[in-house]
Amino acid sequence: MGSNMCPLPSCRLCAVEGGSLQSNGEMFTLLAFLFLLSGVFSAPCAKRFFPPLSANHFVCVCNATYCDEYEEPSLSSQSAIIYSSSESGDRMSIRTARISTIKGKRGVSGRIKVDPRVTYQEIIGFGGAFTDAAGINIESLSDSTRDKLMQTVFGNKGSRYSTGRVPIASTDFSKTRYSYNDNAGDVKMNNFALAQEDLKYKIPLILRALNLTGGDLRLLSSPWSAPAWMKETGKMEGPGRLRKGLEGAWAKYYVRFFEEYLSHGIPFWATTVQNEPTSGALPDYGWQTMYWNSTGERTFVANHLGPALAASKAAKNLMIIALDDNRFWLPMWANEVYSDPVASSFISGVGIHWYLDLISPASKLTATHNAHPDKLILATEACAGSNRPHHSPAFGEWSRAEGYARSIIEDLNNFVAGWTDWNIALDTEGGPTWAKNFVDSPIIVNSTADEFLKQPMHYALTHFSRFLRPGSKRVQSSTVDIDDVRVMHTAFVFDGQRILNILNTVDTEYDIVIEEASGISINVKIAPKSVTTVIWKKQLMYQ
Ligand SMILES: *[C@@H]1O[C@H](CO)[C@@H](O)[C@H](O)[C@H]1NC(C)=O
Ligand SMILES: *[C@@H]1O[C@H](CO)[C@@H](O)[C@H](O)[C@H]1NC(C)=O
Ligand SMILES: *[C@@H]1O[C@H](CO)[C@@H](O)[C@H](O)[C@H]1NC(C)=O
Ligand SMILES: *[C@@H]1O[C@H](CO)[C@@H](O)[C@H](O)[C@H]1NC(C)=O
């Protein structure tokens, strides 16, 4: 390409991967694209570096007047759009690559083959949790910074979260332990009332999120514990079961929760039966929990929760999700809860958490799907920094971004339909948490400076939440000459687009050819330690 064709003073931006321009249409697309890149709309990451001081440890800082945004140039049929985030410095950086109708070039590191004719599960969504901690942090910001944060998470130029998990009453990420009904013996739930935390820290933010997403937000709830008087131990925290005979009252408590939220304009999509029910058997467990084993959960749903929700006005179409605990318990838990046809008629799927993944292979997910192909599997909670010695935020730490992307790709490739993160935002200490269970979050609020920090994890999750819209369908992807433990990948189709996400877990650059079964190919360089999203249009030759 001659320099006289370059529309910008600096020709750096004119380098389009894959060769020279051939048609006027292509030139037009390129000009339109360069216009987007030329700074009219784009807002890059405002980097802040952290020790160990190297180019690799940084976050992107947003405040009342500034936040980096992600562009969405329109897609042509001649080129693919590539977004990448990497340890060495990219954050949703955008470029294009030519789509070639000839066989991919030789001499590359390897190939990723995508076959849209072979389809798997459909996406439900990606998101995070409206915990009290998240709400307290977000509400501590000025109106304009808070708006930037909500735009970042739910907005069109942000992560476009499509799921939100809402705790029913308090969790370890609350400032205190509280329930919605502390009146011992009130089995009719006459004194049920939402807490100040709902009214101040959850409902206003959920309403804003519903507005920003145009209602395209699937809300799912989970209780951590019944009120203290309803538990055998008389305490919300620590192990223990629901007191016998209170199953009907406990089911009524869920229904009242959905009625109250609906009266504030918030409809729910699903509820889990119980957050991490197996933690309720651990003798030294530190915070709110309540024990169910799979048989107990099955009976409670069949006889109480299922019928109570179905008979209610506010929650009659709600989906019920079992387990909501580590995948370690699969496929046994699913086999047990689905073994009773009545329970199975109420239960749409199982929720999984990532905390014991190292000792429970992802093949358990596929085994669960194969045994129950008409039921869902959803990742309902994950967070980094939950283990000592790094029991707190790690600013700018890429390995945590890689952990998110690895878990998401592994889950998606084993029939999981979505992935919901834990706290949407935490403070610089990783709280507040009355239980001192400080952890990390993709967004850290620094309220003394009226700013928030976007951790590398935020970008890793955005590569999925932003592009894999609800209804996207996973399709077959496979590698040739690349080790797919080092270069993980997952491919989707949605609305005439192909979306391929690639995680490079090693310090090597790869020069890859993507080959779609239709005969087209795209040459893409994959940076060391990076997450890359490649999006291209379905080609006319291949309907
Ligand atoms: C907000 O961030 C922008 C970009 O980093 C910076 O120029 C500006 O000074 C910041 N404003 C405040 C009040 O810190
Ligand atoms: C969001 O709120 C604005 C301002 O109140 C309103 O104009 C708009 O219609 C709302 N959008 C949706 C999708 O609810
Ligand atoms: C659950 O606990 C009950 C009561 O202790 C027991 O009968 C049942 O076998 C347990 N279920 C499983 C799957 O362990
Ligand atoms: C939070 O803001 C304060 C200034 O108010 C600053 O000193 C501190 O370094 C910031 N914390 C982080 C983690 O960036």
Side-chain angles (χ1 to χ4, degrees), residues 516-532:
E516 189 184 313
S518 60
I520 60 142
S521 67
I522 304 158
N523 187 204
V524 181
K525 284 201 168 63
I526 303 295
K529 293 270 180 192
S530 64
V531 185
T532 302

Side-chain angles (χ1 to χ4, degrees), residues 48-50 59 61 393 395 427-429 444-453:
R48 179 178 297 162
F49 291 87
F50 286 86
V59 301
V61 184
F395 294 108
D427 65 21
T428 52
E429 204 185 5
I444 299 291
V445 167
N446 190 12
S447 63
T448 55
D450 190 34
E451 65 183 15
F452 60 94
L453 317 178

Side-chain angles (χ1 to χ4, degrees), residues 208 210-215:
R208 180 76 181 119
L210 284 167
N211 179 283
L212 284 168
T213 56

Side-chain angles (χ1 to χ4, degrees), residues 168-169 178-183 186 189-199 203 227 253 256-257 260-261 264:
I168 299 178
Y178 62 86
S179 86
Y180 296 137
N181 188 357
D182 283 333
N183 296 269
D186 180 16
M189 296 295 148
N190 290 325
N191 298 290
F192 183 101
L194 294 181
Q196 277 308 303
E197 281 81 350
D198 296 270
L199 303 175
I203 289 169
Y253 184 96
R256 290 289 299 113
F257 172 81
E260 290 298 323
Y261 266 70
H264 289 274

Side-chain angles (χ1 to χ4, degrees), residues 106-366:
R106 294 166 184 277
V108 294
S109 333
R111 286 157 213 281
I112 299 181
K113 293 181 174 249
V114 175
D115 191 343
R117 292 168 301 189
V118 185
T119 62
Y120 304 93
Q121 82 276 20
E122 210 170 276
I123 287 296
I124 284 171
F126 296 83
F130 290 92
T131 59
D132 291 348
I136 289 165
N137 289 316
I138 297 170
E139 288 297 339
S140 75
L141 294 166
S142 68
D143 287 353
S144 31
T145 308
R146 184 188 317 120
D147 192 59
K148 287 265 192 302
L149 190 154
M150 294 301 283
Q151 292 278 1
T152 288
V153 176
F154 297 99
N156 251 333
K157 294 187 169 185
S159 305
R160 300 179 74 196
Y161 277 9
S162 48
T163 62
R165 186 165 177 235
V166 185
I168 299 178
S170 61
T171 74
D172 44 329
F173 284 87
S174 300
K175 279 192 167 169
T176 59
R177 284 145 281 181
Y178 62 86
S179 86
Y180 296 137
N181 188 357
D182 283 333
N183 296 269
D186 180 16
V187 295
K188 294 215 162 95
M189 296 295 148
N190 290 325
N191 298 290
F192 183 101
L194 294 181
Q196 277 308 303
E197 281 81 350
D198 296 270
L199 303 175
K200 273 170 71 181
Y201 303 128
K202 291 177 176 172
I203 289 169
L205 294 180
I206 295 170
L207 289 172
R208 180 76 181 119
L210 284 167
N211 179 283
L212 284 168
T213 56
D216 193 9
L217 183 68
R218 280 140 217 81
L219 295 169
L220 69 148
S221 61
S222 307
W224 264 244
S225 170
W229 62 271
M230 298 182 77
K231 261 176 80 182
E232 282 176 343
T233 55
K235 289 191 305 186
M236 291 183 83
E237 72 276 16
R241 298 168 197 256
L242 185 72
R243 275 175 54 198
K244 283 223 158 46
L246 291 185
E247 293 84 357
W250 180 225
K252 175 93 186 167
Y253 184 96
Y254 294 66
V255 170
R256 290 289 299 113
F257 172 81
F258 299 120
E259 287 172 351
E260 290 298 323
Y261 266 70
L262 193 59
S263 76
H264 289 274
I266 298 174
F268 273 78
W269 164 78
T271 189
T272 71
V273 182
Q274 165 68 43
N275 173 70
E276 298 184 354
T278 66
S279 66
L282 304 174
D284 57 354
Y285 200 73
W287 51 87
Q288 297 94 319
T289 182
M290 193 165 80
Y291 179 69
W292 294 107
N293 71 7
S294 50
T295 317
E297 216 177 54
R298 183 184 72 194
T299 311
F300 173 59
V301 170
N303 297 347
H304 301 282
L305 186 61
L309 295 182
S312 79
K313 235 179 164 158
K316 63 173 183 298
N317 295 319
L318 221 68
M319 307 236 248
I320 297 178
I321 293 169
L323 189 58
D324 199 18
D325 204 329
N326 295 310
R327 75 184 181 204
F328 174 83
W329 298 100
L330 291 175
M332 179 281 287
W333 200 284
N335 295 343
E336 184 85 1
V337 294
Y338 301 143
S339 68
D340 168 36
V342 179
S344 183
S345 73
F346 289 122
I347 299 175
S348 303
V350 290
I352 50 163
H353 296 187
W354 81 345
Y355 304 100
L356 294 179
D357 281 5
L358 276 181
I359 58 162
S360 45
S363 57
K364 280 169 167 279
L365 301 169
T366 288

Side-chain angles (χ1 to χ4, degrees), residues 46 63 65-66:
N63 61 26
T65 55
Y66 190 85

